[in-house]
């Protein structure tokens, strides 16, 4: 029975796997263009933690420069979760060629559909989710609350989570962005509390 179920899963996922393979071929070309898509210098302060299967990258998000900079930091091919919004034509083309999961964050049906697609994709490829407006502009509050959906996806897919913080220093005149990975993977196990795991991630980004 298990072998029959696996057969149906492979048939069901076949178009997705073809799309992933084609986008992996395109990805090196996209990666070469990324330095031209940003107006900041970029320095990655450390290496990402090693993992042995596809993972979910959670990246802080505050500007339109985050996507190309994250692409440079991660380097490997990934699909990205993007909220439905007005985008420049080149940005829409980039996301579509790279691999994208569109979501309307105000529509529960759209969020459920995105959740399902993310868990399917994570069997085969990395996925990136930008935590919307993570950095707060008030000095007394370093980050805004983070949505908990990432923890539910990681729990359902049994995927490791890789936090990546991006911080910009344009106000100092340096016009540079620093990227830093958390030094270990986060795992969301079956019995873990989603709220507590979300607070753990907020603490990681706040520090």
């Amino acid at each position: 029975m298990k072998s029959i179920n696996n057969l149906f899963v492979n048939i069901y996922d076949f178009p997705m796997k073809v799309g992933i393979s084609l986008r992996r071929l395109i990805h090196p070309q996209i990666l070469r263009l990324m330095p031209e898509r940003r107006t900041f210098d970029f320095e990655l302060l450390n290496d990402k933690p090693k993992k042995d299967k596809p993972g979910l990258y959670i990246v802080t998000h505050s500007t339109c420069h985050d996507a190309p900079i994250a692409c440079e930091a991660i380097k490997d091919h990934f699909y990205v979760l993007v909220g439905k919004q007005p985008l420049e034509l080149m940005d829409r083309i980039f996301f579509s060629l790279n691999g994208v999961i569109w979501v309307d964050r105000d529509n529960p049906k759209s969020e459920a559909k995105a959740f399902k697609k993310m868990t399917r994709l994570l069997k085969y490829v990395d996925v990136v989710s930008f935590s919307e407006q993570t950095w707060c502009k008030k000095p007394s509050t370093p980050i805004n609350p983070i949505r908990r959906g990432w923890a539910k996806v990681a729990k359902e897919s049994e995927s490791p989570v890789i936090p990546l913080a991006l911080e910009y220093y344009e106000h100092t005149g340096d016009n540079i962005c620093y990227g830093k990975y958390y030094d270990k993977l986060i795992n969301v196990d079956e019995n873990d509390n989603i709220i507590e795991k979300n607070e753990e991630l907020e603490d990681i980004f706040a520090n």
Side-chain angles (χ1 to χ4, degrees):
M1 182 62 71
K2 185 176 181 181
S3 60
I4 294 175
N5 288 339
N6 288 339
L7 176 62
F8 279 118
V9 168
N10 287 332
I11 293 173
Y12 180 61
D13 285 349
F14 180 74
M16 175 181 284
K17 291 163 75 173
V18 171
I20 292 170
S21 296
L22 291 174
R23 287 179 170 89
R24 278 186 177 142
L25 293 175
I26 297 171
H27 182 70
Q29 308 307 321
I30 293 176
L31 195 58
R32 285 195 193 96
L33 296 174
M34 287 305 99
E36 300 176 14
R37 296 292 297 163
R38 58 176 166 80
T39 57
F40 286 82
D41 293 328
F42 174 58
E43 183 177 343
L44 186 61
L45 299 177
N46 61 346
D47 295 328
K48 58 187 174 186
K50 296 184 186 300
K51 56 184 177 63
D52 57 8
K53 60 181 178 178
L56 175 61
Y57 288 85
I58 306 297
V59 185
T60 55
H61 186 30
S62 58
T63 82
C64 61
H65 304 285
D66 293 333
I69 286 179
C71 193
E72 288 185 66
I74 295 169
K75 290 188 171 58
D76 300 322
H77 175 241
F78 58 81
Y79 274 59
V80 59
L81 179 70
V82 178
K84 291 184 178 178
Q85 59 190 289
L87 291 171
E88 292 184 9
L89 179 60
M90 286 303 298
D91 290 332
R92 188 168 289 274
I93 290 173
F94 158 71
F95 285 129
S96 297
L97 289 175
N98 181 77
V100 64
I101 306 129
W102 299 109
V103 61
D104 181 348
R105 299 182 188 277
D106 296 321
N107 185 327
K109 288 185 178 179
S110 177
E111 287 197 324
K113 184 178 179 180
F115 173 86
K116 184 177 180 180
K117 186 172 182 180
M118 289 173 75
T119 55
R120 285 178 62 206
L121 282 165
L122 279 163
K123 291 186 288 184
Y124 311 109
V125 66
D126 292 330
V127 172
V128 169
S129 175
F130 291 97
S131 294
E132 295 290 339
Q133 298 300 319
T134 312
W135 294 117
C136 186
K137 303 303 181 184
K138 299 177 181 178
S140 59
T141 312
I143 67 166
N144 287 315
I146 296 174
R147 290 173 177 261
R148 301 170 190 162
W150 70 270
K152 296 176 183 177
V153 171
K155 190 174 191 176
E156 177 70 19
S157 63
E158 300 181 354
S159 302
V161 176
I162 310 97
L164 171 60
L166 302 178
E167 189 165 5
Y168 295 84
Y169 285 82
E170 56 185 321
H171 58 281
T172 64
D174 295 330
N175 209 45
I176 189 169
C177 172
Y178 292 103
K180 187 176 182 180
Y181 285 104
Y182 186 51
D183 58 5
K184 59 184 178 181
L185 302 173
I186 296 177
N187 292 298
V188 184
D189 298 322
E190 184 178 354
N191 296 321
D192 283 340
N193 183 286
I194 296 296
I195 295 175
E196 291 177 358
K197 297 305 288 191
N198 199 61
E199 290 174 350
E200 179 184 339
L201 181 65
E202 290 178 344
D203 288 343
I204 288 170
F205 282 143
N207 294 319

